[in-house]
Amino acid sequence: MAIKIEELQQAAAPQGTDSLLLESVSAGTARLSLTDLARFLTEQDNAVKTALSNKAALSAQQTVEKTGVSAETVHITAAELPGYIASLPRLLLKNLAVAVSGGTVASTLNVTGFYGPGRVWIQREGDTPLVLTKGAVVMWNTLQIILSRLTFRGEHAPESGGSFVEVYASSTVSLEHCEVDGTGTGGWGVLASSGSAVYLNGCTVQKTHGALLCQSGCVMSANNCAGADNSVGATVYYGGLILLSGTTPNLMGGSANGKSGGLIASAAGTVL
C-alpha cells in the first residue's frame, strides 16, 4: 500500500469519512473508508480475516502452553525503585530481578497487586547499603515477592500498622538478609496479616517495639535471624503462627514474646 503525494495535494478540504488511500498498478489511487475496511475484516469470510484469526489463536495457544517463564534482570538506581515498580504491568509473565544500586529510597516502596506465573525479586546490587527510609508495603500479591539485602531505617510505612515492612494478603513473600533498625521510632519490624505467608532468612531486626508480628491466619518463618534491643520479640494474634529455625533465638532480642490466639515454636520444636 502506498499513498500518492499528488492525491494529498489535491485534497483541498477535509473528507467527511475517515479513509485510507490505496494505490493499484492498474487502477491508480482509490479511497477505502475505515468503516468498509472494518466490515471486510470482520463480517466476510476472506483470506485476510482467516489469517488474522489464525495468528491470534496461535498467539493465545502459545501463551497457554508455555512450559516455563522467561527471566529478565533490570538495573536501576535507588531513587528510581518506587516509580519503576509502580509502572510494571500487574500480570507478570516472567521472573523479574530488579537489581538496585546502593543509596536511599525516600518514599514508601509499594509492591501491590501482582499476579501470574512470574515473580518479583528486588535485590541490592553491590556493597553500598540500600536504605528505605519510609518502609515497604507488600499487599494483594499472588506470586512470589523477594526482598533481598535491603535496610529499613527511618519511618514506618504509612498505613502499615506501625511497621517497617508490612505484608498483607500476599502469598510467599521472602526477606533475604534484610535489616530493620527501629532506632528512635520503635514500632513493629515485620508485620504479616490476612493470610500471608512470610519467610525471613538471615535477617536482623533491632531497636523496635516488637521484632515480628504475625496475625489473622498468617504463617511466618524466621531462619537464621537475629534480634537485638527489641522490647518484644515475636508476637502472634488471631491465629498467627511463627516458626523459628536455625540460629534464630527464642526471643528475637526482646524481653518476652507475646501471644493472644496463636502459636510460636522454637527452633527445637518447643511451643513458646
Side-chain angles (χ1 to χ4, degrees), residues 57-68 93:
L58 179 60
S59 177
Q61 180 181 3
Q62 290 173 336
T63 299
V64 171
E65 293 182 353
K66 277 187 174 181
T67 58
L93 303 177

Side-chain angles (χ1 to χ4, degrees), residues 123-204:
Q123 55 185 300
R124 187 189 83 202
E125 186 172 39
D127 296 328
T128 302
L130 178 59
V131 181
L132 290 85
T133 61
K134 292 190 177 179
V137 176
V138 182
M139 62 173 55
W140 301 319
N141 301 287
T142 60
L143 48 69
Q144 185 181 26
I145 306 294
I146 305 172
L147 306 179
S148 180
R149 304 207 302 158
L150 310 182
T151 298
F152 299 91
R153 181 191 306 135
E155 302 177 21
H156 307 139
E159 301 180 0
S160 65
S163 62
F164 289 90
V165 181
E166 179 189 15
V167 180
Y168 179 87
S170 291
S171 58
T172 321
V173 176
S174 299
L175 280 75
E176 302 276 355
H177 305 289
C178 292
E179 178 184 348
V180 177
D181 185 345
T183 301
T185 55
W188 297 101
V190 180
L191 182 157
S193 183
S194 298
S196 300
V198 180
Y199 173 66
L200 294 89
N201 180 50
C203 296
T204 299

Side-chain angles (χ1 to χ4, degrees), residues 7 37 39 41 50 69 98 124 135 174 190 196 202 221 238 241-242 247 251:
E7 179 75 12
L37 176 61
R39 186 179 300 112
L41 294 177
T50 300
V69 295
V98 184
R124 187 189 83 202
S174 299
V190 180
S196 300
S221 174
Y238 313 125
L241 174 62
I242 294 180
T247 60
L251 297 179

Side-chain angles (χ1 to χ4, degrees), residues 220-252:
M220 182 182 291
S221 174
N223 179 62
N224 293 337
C225 292
D229 299 322
N230 299 305
S231 298
V232 180
T235 299
V236 288
Y237 285 126
Y238 313 125
L241 174 62
I242 294 180
L243 304 173
L244 309 178
S245 61
T247 60
T248 305
N250 289 350
L251 297 179
M252 274 297 292

